[in-house]
Each structure stands twice: as C-alpha cells, then as structure tokens.
Amino acid sequence: MQTINNNRRSFLKGSALATASLALTQMPAFASGFSQKVTAISLDTCKKMSAVDMAFESQMVLASKQYLTDQINSINDWSIRNLVTDIYRQPTPMVLEQLDNDNRTAVWKELLAKNYSNSDLDHFLPNQPVKQADYHAFYSAPGSGYGSHHSYPGGLATHLAANVHITNGIVNTYQETYNYKVDRDIAVAAQLLHDLHKPLVFPWLKDHSCRKENTLADTGEHHVLSIAELIARNMPAELVVATACAHQAPMTLAHQQQIAKWLDAAAIINGIDPVRYGLLTKQQGQLRLNEIAQQEGFICHIGDHDYVLSVPAVQQTLPVLRKIAHEQYAIADDDHSAFNALRNRIYSLYSAMQIHAEFSNHGEDRIKAMMLAAVQP
Ligand SMILES: [Fe+2]
Ligand SMILES: [Fe+2]
C-alpha cells in the first residue's frame, strides 16, 4: 500500500500558503506505473481550473495517455491504426456532421418508429461540440455520466487504459492457456474505440459536472453513436460488430438480437443498409447479428468490466468527499459547483479507484490528507 510522504501540518502553516501552489506530495512510483506528484493549489484556483487543466496536470492521466498511444501504435492494420489515432486527436462526430436537416428528421422518424428513441427532434442526438485543441476533448472527457465510473477529467483515458491492459491480458492468456490466437488488432482496437463518443455525449458544463446522457435503442447513446461513427468512417464490419459487443456479449439469441438492435440504430443514423455492410443478416424477415469477430466481441465485453468496481468506487467515496468538503473547506451542501470542482481535481489526480482503496484500508483521515495535499481550503 502506498503512503503519502508529506506532513500535513508543515504546509498548513503560513498565510501565503493559502494561494501558493507548492509541490507537496510525492507518492512512490507504482511497480510498473508512474510517479504520482501532487501539487497543492487553493480552492479558489481549483474552482477556476478547466477540465483540460485538471486532466493534463494529472500524472495518472498522462501515464494513461502514453500507454494508449503505445497501444494504438501496436495495431498492425494501418487503416485501423490511423482511425484510432485520428479519433483520439480529434473525436469529431462525422456521423453527425453528415446529417443535414432533412436527413436528421428522417433519421429521427425512423428511430421513433422502431422505438429506439423517445426524445423530441431537438434532443434525440447531442449537439455538435465546440472544436478544441488536439487531444484536449478526448483526454479531458469523463469515463461516464457524472456520479458513475471514472467521472472526472481524464476519466475516459484511465478507463480505456485499464480496459486495454485487461484486453491484452485476455488475448495473451488465451494464447498461453489454450494455444490459439484471436485477432489482436480487432480485440484491442474495439476496446480502444468502444467509448469513442463519450467526449461528445458527456461535455463538461459550467458547474463542473457533465451533460446527462439519453438512451438510444435501450442503451446509453454513447454506445450507438460510437458504433455509428465507425460505420461513418467505413471501418471493417468485424471491428464494428466487436465494438458493438462492449455492452453485451452475444451469449444467447436474445443478446444477439439486442446487439443487432444497436447496430440497426447505428445503421439508421448513417442511412446505410446493415445487411449489405455485413453487420447483420436477415433470417425469416428478422435482423440477426452476423457471426463475425465472435471471440473478439466477447473479449471486448469482458475487458469493459472495470465498472464492476469503478462504479462503487465513485458511489462509495462521494459521501466521504462531500463530508470533508463541508468540514474542511466550508463548502455548503447546495454549492454544487465548488464541490464538483474539488471532487474533479481529487479524482483526476488520484482516481476514484485509489481513493476507494485508501478509504477502505485507512479510513477518512487518509482521504482528508490526500485532499488537503491537492487543494487547500
Ligand atoms: Fe460504453
Ligand atoms: Fe466502457
């Protein structure tokens, strides 16, 4: 278990410290990870920080960025590698850009007719994002909706890095244990791309929280939109199907129909025929999942199970952070913006996973010390 090497009292002395930024905490490097430096800032400074500022100050997020870059470069297929590189640099929603007003209305009507959406015409898709500098949108995005897993600036990067680590582990395990190889390019690329439209679906808001997600075809809209983006960019059917399995493995016929529904919705948004594209087949008038990239799809789904722990990690530590925010920082319960800024910085620097582990093993005082090392009241 790591320990914090700073003495809290030493940095609480002196009024100048209230606004100064000081390098305070040097946490030991992980066995194969990164050196975790934490610099204290004032609460006022924290409240003024953007999500990009927070993400790019976090050694954890930067380490995830480096790992993801290495993994993208390890993809052998140049067209897939280029696509992932482009999307991480600028997650431009080409799938939305190609929709003019007439197409948009036609898509909405078709989604409604199939019960894939229950939103009105103005809200059935997210708004076009404001273009940011290269890498900023992707690497400052949260890992999910606010209050769920990795919901902090840079959370998407840590989610993806963890998932790709796990995916590589599965690919290698199957090879070493069962003596066969899956298509690593498809398995790893599907994992790298499975949440590609979270920057679009979860933009940061003024109060430091993020947009609430709609559903599309009975799942979070980011899922259908991410698959739709791969279709818009003409990616191979195997990669699209494997990515579509992130939210459900095709274990039973009912599961296969569920995945087929997501692919059908993604095809509708693109105005393409999912059967001709090779995503689905038609059997007795019913759309069925095409039986391609099967193990890679299962692996994508298994590799996306980080949420089992990372959702409770947020939900079980938020009340602790809120209590400390109230007692140490005098943040009123209804001052959501101040609390969100504080919690974003804390999670972004340490991760909710580490906060959860430290709280489980050492209790509230440890979390208090970690928070005060990062933000001074
Ligand atoms: Fe997802
Ligand atoms: Fe995910």
Side-chain angles (χ1 to χ4, degrees), residues 34 60-61 63-65 67-68 71 88 149-150 152 154-170 188 191-192 194-195 299-300 302-310 351 353:
F34 53 92
M60 175 185 68
V61 175
S64 288
K65 182 173 182 287
Y67 175 74
L68 290 166
Q71 292 304 307
Y88 276 52
H149 67 84
H150 312 285
Y152 49 83
L156 178 60
T158 64
H159 173 54
L160 293 168
N163 282 16
V164 174
H165 268 294
I166 292 163
T167 299
N168 276 320
I170 297 170
V188 169
Q191 198 60 262
L192 285 162
H194 82 283
D195 279 339
I299 292 169
C300 180
I302 303 168
D304 193 25
H305 271 66
D306 159 61
Y307 73 90
V308 173
L309 174 56
S310 58
S351 77
M353 294 288 283

Side-chain angles (χ1 to χ4, degrees), residues 228-244:
E229 187 66 37
L230 297 182
I231 297 172
R233 294 184 187 234
N234 219 12
M235 282 292 104
E238 287 78 6
L239 178 60
V240 182
V241 168
T243 308

Side-chain angles (χ1 to χ4, degrees), residues 143 149 159 194-196 198 213 219-220 222-223 226 246-247 304:
H149 67 84
H159 173 54
H194 82 283
D195 279 339
L196 77 92
K198 281 188 170 170
E213 182 177 36
T219 193
H222 75 272
H223 188 57
S226 297
H247 279 200
D304 193 25

